[in-house]
Amino acid sequence: MNLTLKVWRQKGPNDPGRFATYHAKNISPDMSFLEMLDEVNQTLATSGEDSIAFDHDCREGICGTCSLFINGRAHGPEKATTTCQLHMRKFRDGDTITIEPWRAKAFPVVKDLVVNRDAFDRIIQQGGFVSSNAGSAPDGNAIPVPKVNAEKAMDAASCIGCGACVASCKNASAMLFVGAKVSQLALLPQGQPERSQRVKAMVETMDAEGFGNCTNESECEAACPKEISVSNISRLNREYLLATLKGQ
Amino acid sequence: MSLESHVPPGPIEKKWDQHRFDLKLVNPANKRKYSVIVVGTGLAGSSTASSLAELGYNVTALCIQDSPRRAHSIAAQGGVNAAKNYSNDGDSVYRLFYDTVKGGDYRAREANVHRLAEISNAIIDQCVAQGVPFAREYGGTLSNRSFGGAQVSRTFYARGQTGQQLLIGAYGSLMRQVQSGKVKLLPRREMMELVVIDGRARGVIARNLVTGKMESYFADAVALCTGGYSNVFYLSTNANACNVNAAWRAHKQGAYFANPCFTQIHPTCIPVSGDHQSKLTLMSESLRNDGRVWVPKKEGDSRPAPEIPEADRDYYLERRYPSFGNLVPRDVASRAAKMICDEGRGVGDTKKAVYLDFADAIDRLGLDAIKEKYSNLFDMYQRITDEDPYKVPMRIYPALHYTMGGLWVDYNLMSTIPGLFVLGEANFSDHGANRLGASALMQGLADGYFVFPYTVGGYLASSKLEKIDESHSAFADGERRATELIEKLIAVKGKRTVESIHRELGLLLWEHCGMGRNEKGLKEALEKIPALREEFWSNVTVTGSAGDFNQVLEKAGRVADYLDFAPLMVKDALARKESCGGHFRDESQTDEGEARRDDENFSHVAAWEYKGDDKEHELHKEQLTFENCKPTQRSYK
């Protein structure tokens, strides 16, 4: 396959950035999207040009590092698939492909297609955990969890923190990310003691970090490579309201 | 220097208790006066950084990723073992201990493995308390499955994402301590140098991967939790950022490297599709429960699989191992697949694959039953290969997966450099020559939550440490060495890409120092690696600058270290003239062509000492004694 790529190049957070055009030649349909970019970078390296910076690590769809906005969609056209698991056979010979970084105020560009997602870590620091010191835990089976709740918690916990939800939302809202963590812990007995303070602190930090609000368009769910449901956003709203009413 | 393992005396089940009692304690009020650097935030790193902070120590945690949650522990699928005996099937601490020593083919230290088995139960409790959503029974209790050839059900799991869930649990605890101010978190940092002052590890030099600047960090102890080195083979199931740098640079400062040739090759990976391939994807071993492995009997039979009649198929595992069949251990299955492909009977375009066929299982159990068990794996396979495994057999091939070798540590997890501790996959300790399924997560968390937090106290309480800070000249020296290396890489300005040299090195090692080895091949590799190293340093091209976010430069630094490390791995393989665990030495086999272990000559840990760039490594042997598990030969016939 031969492709034309329009790739966002930006030297750093303060550089305005621009699109640059590259030609990817002799691309095998069996390549992953990232392997196609590797190939382009090899060509750039041999001609002494600065390679295109993009985040990637496990390349099996679980670490949440890869983060490309491909033809206007987070992680590209295939449903429930991270960029690293997207293969070139999903494109046609001769296609022009536009590749951009996640665009959100809370995710400043580091370089080219790489963004800074520290804001997610800072939200988790405000309560995305159960405060349990090593050594203090009771026997595992002393905390029974109904299977149905365990399954729902697992659904929410499968979030990989990639930020596709934010990138695909016109408001750059992080409600799906926050909703997934709040849901996981609200559904489990272990999460109960800190339930109210957790949701309040996480939502407040989310707002302070500059993420937008949810206007119920479910773009996040459509883009999520792990198919996290927007019902987690409903649960987040409910949890937040309850916590506020309790006045804790 | 002699190797002193510091294994405490006494009966095996009392050793750890007694040792914990004997370890000196740091007074609770004094813990805040000590600081520890933790490099890496996978299961071992995250769990230990948070646990140390909970105890009151000041922790600096560095990771190479943009967030600690992305460390490669996240990719572990299968599960985590523990001796809970919730299944009431006769499991016990002793049985888990015994299985792990035997599975490691009697090349691990008994006392360490027993401690691991003892701690396993507390790990499950800790993870449950953190809200890890383990699989549950309808009554709400924890669910177990049998895994990796174990005869009891002792594996706890969270769908196919156990590593992810355990890591997110540990990451949550770490984030809580970052918030409390006890942990200073530094993402996108790569450790460049270990700083040793007066013979003790006192800090690290790290490169800030965003700005390119060298940064100095000092502490009273350093813990390396930097994972394994499978990527020396270029293609492996490891994440791209996994590397040997931190371990190797500590090795050059005096930490012995133990059993570097002990690597694990996983039999069920999706095969290579072409030269562009950047990594291999693992598929759970559980597939072999229902899939049948075969190749055509005739070399060059290019008919599509469904058109090859039964009579022309060779179910070679069932033929050679009638009692275990398709369920032989990882190393046996991997070696057999490579042998068949080397004979020219491999399948697919590259001929580097064998079939894993579910047609019989679908006939016997029905399509729905197979879907329920394996749909996520089948979907993943289809996404990557564009073939429907419900209709045509999967193609699989072995791939590098885990490294049992690593920096040598004593019972306290301390390396041969006082104050430098090594945890998780980065150390050599608990898996001997072959790791069992669902044991890696157990070991990372055992070291992190429940071993190092005690043993570091013992070290700190019994050491007299000078007050220092980053103004000490050793830090300036370290920064200078690190900067020189970076400048040297950029200055080559040759023609070959970093990737192409790495790929060549990987192929060489796969061919000669993979799962089957012999003296001739190993010697050939030893001749070729220095030439490739020479090629790298005279003809590599590293674009971009040192003072910038530069992924090519990062990669070049890693490949430079692989080229230095690879000869040691090969030398270790050459010295170990026996077949054991995950590796097979052609010269050491039984009349039936099976692995023959040589306990008389090789019942030891091979720990290598670095003597200087132009000097040969010196081999030190830690003799292994087995007072509880009497070595037997494995047989799967």
Side-chain angles (χ1 to χ4, degrees):
Chain A
M1 298 164 77
N2 292 312
L3 304 157
T4 305
L5 307 179
K6 295 176 86 172
V7 182
W8 187 257
R9 302 300 305 259
Q10 185 173 340
K11 287 195 165 65
N14 301 318
D15 178 50
R18 66 192 167 86
F19 279 106
T21 304
Y22 301 96
H23 297 282
K25 289 179 186 152
N26 299 320
I27 296 300
S28 155
D30 289 330
M31 283 183 185
S32 73
F33 200 86
L34 298 183
E35 286 166 352
M36 182 274 292
L37 283 179
D38 288 342
E39 202 69 13
V40 173
N41 272 342
Q42 292 295 294
T43 321
L44 291 177
T46 8
S47 57
E49 280 181 68
D50 207 1
S51 64
I52 302 162
F54 61 93
D55 258 333
H56 63 90
D57 199 17
C58 79
R59 298 198 175 200
E60 51 186 280
I62 193 72
C63 73
T65 311
C66 64
S67 51
L68 301 180
F69 207 67
I70 301 161
N71 286 342
R73 296 178 71 171
H75 292 303
E78 199 177 359
K79 193 172 153 51
T81 302
T82 54
T83 299
C84 64
Q85 295 284 289
L86 174 66
H87 283 73
M88 295 315 293
R89 62 181 83 91
K90 301 289 166 186
F91 297 88
R92 278 173 308 190
D93 189 27
D95 273 359
T96 297
I97 305 175
T98 308
I99 310 170
E100 296 169 82
W102 285 172
R103 294 193 192 276
K105 189 171 128 197
F107 290 164
V109 170
V110 174
K111 188 181 178 183
D112 297 341
L113 305 168
V114 176
V115 297
N116 180 334
R117 288 169 284 191
D118 291 355
F120 270 11
D121 286 336
R122 288 191 291 268
I123 293 174
I124 296 295
Q125 282 163 28
Q126 295 300 322
F129 48 76
V130 174
S131 299
S132 161
N133 284 0
S136 66
D139 183 84
N141 266 348
I143 313 172
V145 181
K147 189 176 170 72
V148 56
N149 287 3
E151 292 295 321
K152 275 190 198 162
M154 181 63 221
D155 287 341
S158 60
C159 168
I160 57 174
C162 64
C165 46
V166 174
S168 59
C169 174
K170 63 175 184 175
N171 307 324
S173 167
M175 293 278 275
L176 192 64
F177 171 76
V178 177
K181 184 48 75 182
V182 165
S183 289
Q184 178 202 338
L185 298 177
L187 283 159
L188 295 172
Q190 300 93 307
Q192 299 313 310
E194 298 165 289
R195 188 170 173 176
S196 296
Q197 73 205 58
R198 170 181 305 116
V199 65
K200 284 172 67 178
M202 287 178 74
V203 167
E204 277 157 24
T205 312
M206 174 182 88
D207 291 343
E209 289 287 349
F211 293 104
N213 237 318
C214 173
T215 42
N216 298 318
E217 293 184 27
S218 304
E219 292 285 350
C220 52
E221 183 185 278
C224 177
K226 297 294 156 188
E227 300 185 289
I228 308 274
S229 158
V230 288
S231 64
N232 291 297
I233 295 182
S234 316
R235 193 178 288 106
L236 173 64
N237 284 326
R238 216 155 52 231
E239 290 290 319
Y240 185 74
L241 181 66
L242 275 171
T244 320
L245 288 176
K246 278 189 196 160
Q248 282 175 356
Chain B
M1 193 161 88
S2 72
L3 282 178
E4 179 45 68
S5 67
H6 296 115
V7 170
I12 193 130
E13 64 281 358
K14 296 270 170 60
K15 284 180 193 287
W16 179 231
D17 263 358
Q18 186 61 40
H19 189 63
R20 278 192 292 174
F21 181 73
D22 292 340
L23 280 171
K24 282 193 182 170
L25 295 172
V26 178
N27 179 307
N30 283 341
K31 289 200 174 90
R32 66 188 159 80
K33 295 179 185 160
Y34 288 107
S35 57
V36 182
I37 292 171
V38 177
V39 186
T41 59
L43 284 176
S46 283
S47 62
T48 221
S50 64
S51 302
L52 293 173
E54 287 161 11
L55 288 168
Y57 294 109
N58 300 300
V59 179
T60 303
L62 289 82
C63 70
I64 208 164
Q65 298 84 2
D66 70 325
S67 163
R69 65 178 292 153
R70 306 201 199 284
H72 192 57
S73 305
I74 204 157
Q77 297 169 355
V80 52
N81 283 335
K84 285 282 195 187
N85 193 31
Y86 283 162
S87 306
N88 198 30
D89 52 4
D91 200 9
S92 62
V93 165
Y94 198 84
R95 189 181 292 279
L96 176 55
F97 155 68
Y98 182 87
D99 286 355
T100 309
V101 171
K102 184 179 178 211
D105 219 6
Y106 305 94
R107 292 294 174 264
R109 205 186 273 150
E110 270 193 340
N112 284 53
V113 180
H114 196 277
R115 174 174 68 189
L116 177 67
E118 283 173 60
I119 290 172
S120 66
N121 292 340
I123 294 171
I124 300 304
D125 299 340
Q126 169 65 10
C127 296
V128 169
Q130 286 170 337
V132 168
F134 282 119
R136 299 269 170 175
E137 302 297 338
Y138 280 103
T141 53
L142 290 154
S143 188
N144 288 122
R145 64 181 171 197
S146 118
F147 193 79
Q151 288 173 309
V152 290
S153 289
R154 62 159 74 105
T155 304
F156 295 76
Y157 61 102
R159 294 200 187 139
Q161 300 155 23
T162 317
Q164 181 200 22
Q165 295 309 319
L166 297 184
L167 182 59
I168 298 297
Y171 156 81
S173 293
L174 175 63
M175 287 294 110
R176 172 174 165 239
Q177 295 303 328
V178 172
Q179 174 62 16
S180 79
K182 292 303 287 183
V183 175
K184 183 175 170 192
L185 176 67
L186 299 159
R188 292 204 199 264
R189 301 298 201 288
E190 178 153 20
M191 177 179 143
M192 304 296 290
E193 289 287 342
L194 178 75
V195 176
V196 180
I197 296 173
D198 298 333
R200 293 174 186 276
R202 294 305 303 269
V204 300
I205 308 294
R207 182 169 179 268
N208 181 321
L209 298 179
V210 176
T211 64
K213 287 207 171 57
M214 294 301 168
E215 299 169 347
S216 289
Y217 299 100
F218 69 94
D220 298 306
V222 176
L224 295 189
C225 310
T226 48
Y229 48 85
S230 292
N231 276 348
V232 68
F233 289 84
Y234 186 69
L235 285 180
S236 82
T237 65
N238 280 192
N240 275 235
C242 298
N243 64 64
V244 77
N245 288 31
W248 185 251
R249 292 181 192 180
H251 172 62
K252 287 174 83 167
Q253 295 283 323
Y256 293 4
F257 214 113
N259 299 335
C261 81
F262 283 172
T263 56
Q264 185 172 68
I265 293 173
H266 199 288
T268 52
C269 298
I270 300 178
V272 178
S273 68
D275 287 343
H276 57 264
Q277 193 108 4
S278 61
K279 85 154 280 166
L280 295 171
T281 304
L282 175 85
M283 284 187 305
S284 170
E285 207 163 15
S286 60
L287 289 169
R288 286 197 287 143
N289 288 332
D290 287 305
R292 295 181 71 194
V293 176
W294 66 275
V295 291
K297 277 189 181 156
K298 251 194 353 247
E299 194 183 323
D301 188 339
S302 56
R303 288 176 287 178
E307 289 172 24
I308 300 178
E310 259 333 272
D312 293 345
R313 297 178 178 193
D314 179 12
Y315 294 90
Y316 60 88
L317 287 178
E318 297 170 23
R319 173 170 57 81
R320 285 181 57 185
Y321 307 97
S323 65
F324 276 71
N326 296 297
L327 291 173
V328 289
R330 290 177 176 182
D331 56 315
V332 178
S334 296
R335 205 159 48 239
K338 182 169 189 289
M339 216 144 75
I340 290 280
C341 294
D342 290 349
E343 280 172 23
R345 292 199 285 150
V347 300
D349 291 342
T350 59
K351 305 286 171 208
K352 292 251 184 264
V354 297
Y355 287 130
L356 180 64
D357 198 335
F358 292 87
D360 283 358
I362 292 172
D363 276 351
R364 191 175 71 244
L365 305 167
L367 188 63
D368 288 345
I370 295 296
K371 270 193 179 157
E372 192 188 315
K373 271 190 178 168
Y374 305 117
S375 67
N376 59 337
L377 293 166
F378 278 41
D379 290 351
M380 182 171 81
Y381 181 84
Q382 185 159 19
R383 193 176 297 141
I384 293 172
T385 64
D386 206 25
E387 286 176 359
D388 181 357
Y390 294 106
K391 297 194 177 116
V392 295
M394 280 186 180
R395 287 172 295 115
I396 56 163
Y397 198 61
L400 251 294
H401 175 54
Y402 187 88
T403 56
M404 284 77 69
L407 292 180
W408 184 90
V409 289
D410 67 5
Y411 189 69
N412 293 313
L413 303 181
M414 191 160 85
S415 71
T416 46
I417 302 174
L420 177 72
F421 294 78
V422 191
L423 283 62
E425 190 181 352
N427 73 30
F428 86 100
S429 66
D430 298 353
H431 306 298
N434 187 33
R435 183 178 62 75
L436 292 181
S439 285
L441 304 184
M442 175 171 70
Q443 187 225 338
L445 291 179
D447 289 359
Y449 283 131
F450 299 117
V451 179
F452 179 59
Y454 308 147
T455 59
V456 73
Y459 169 74
L460 294 172
S462 57
S463 308
K464 210 168 143 29
L465 297 164
E466 297 289 321
K467 271 261 165 263
I468 55 139
D469 60 30
E470 61 273 72
S471 65
H472 191 285
S473 65
F475 287 94
D477 285 350
E479 287 197 23
R480 184 184 43 77
R481 282 200 306 276
T483 309
E484 278 171 9
L485 175 72
I486 296 281
E487 283 168 356
K488 205 172 138 198
L489 285 166
I490 289 190
V492 181
K493 295 197 187 306
K495 296 261 182 277
R496 271 188 78 175
T497 62
V498 177
E499 292 290 321
S500 79
I501 294 173
H502 189 189
R503 185 178 291 139
E504 194 176 326
L505 174 68
L507 271 174
L508 192 65
L509 292 174
W510 174 252
E511 215 38 64
H512 299 302
C513 196
M515 49 202 147
R517 302 148 182 203
N518 56 53
E519 186 170 325
K520 183 169 163 283
L522 290 166
K523 285 191 168 156
E524 193 183 322
L526 269 187
E527 267 172 39
K528 286 183 173 166
I529 298 165
L532 191 60
R533 188 176 180 279
E534 177 63 31
E535 165 79 356
F536 179 87
W537 284 107
S538 61
N539 196 26
V540 76
T541 171
V542 179
T543 50
S545 76
D548 190 13
F549 184 85
N550 187 342
Q551 292 167 311
V552 180
L553 179 59
E554 287 169 31
K555 178 79 198 260
R558 291 167 200 160
V559 174
D561 276 9
Y562 290 142
L563 286 162
D564 286 350
F565 166 71
L568 181 63
M569 194 168 90
V570 177
K571 268 181 222 164
D572 185 46
L574 194 59
R576 193 169 280 278
K577 294 179 179 149
E578 63 161 349
S579 299
C580 82
H583 82 128
F584 189 80
R585 186 67 187 254
D586 292 349
E587 296 93 330
S588 179
Q589 49 183 305
T590 63
D591 296 340
E592 290 164 310
E594 299 302 325
R596 192 174 58 213
R597 207 179 59 225
D598 179 357
D599 290 334
E600 203 173 312
N601 295 303
F602 294 98
S603 188
H604 63 249
V605 177
W608 298 86
E609 181 186 1
Y610 176 83
K611 307 286 262 185
D613 276 338
D614 307 317
K615 301 203 177 84
E616 286 289 312
H617 273 77
E618 186 182 340
L619 173 62
H620 302 265
K621 293 176 183 173
E622 180 196 338
Q623 209 58 38
L624 294 168
T625 48
F626 295 91
E627 290 163 1
N628 296 275
C629 309
K630 288 291 162 227
T632 53
Q633 289 285 355
R634 299 185 303 162
S635 170
Y636 302 98
K637 286 280 175 187

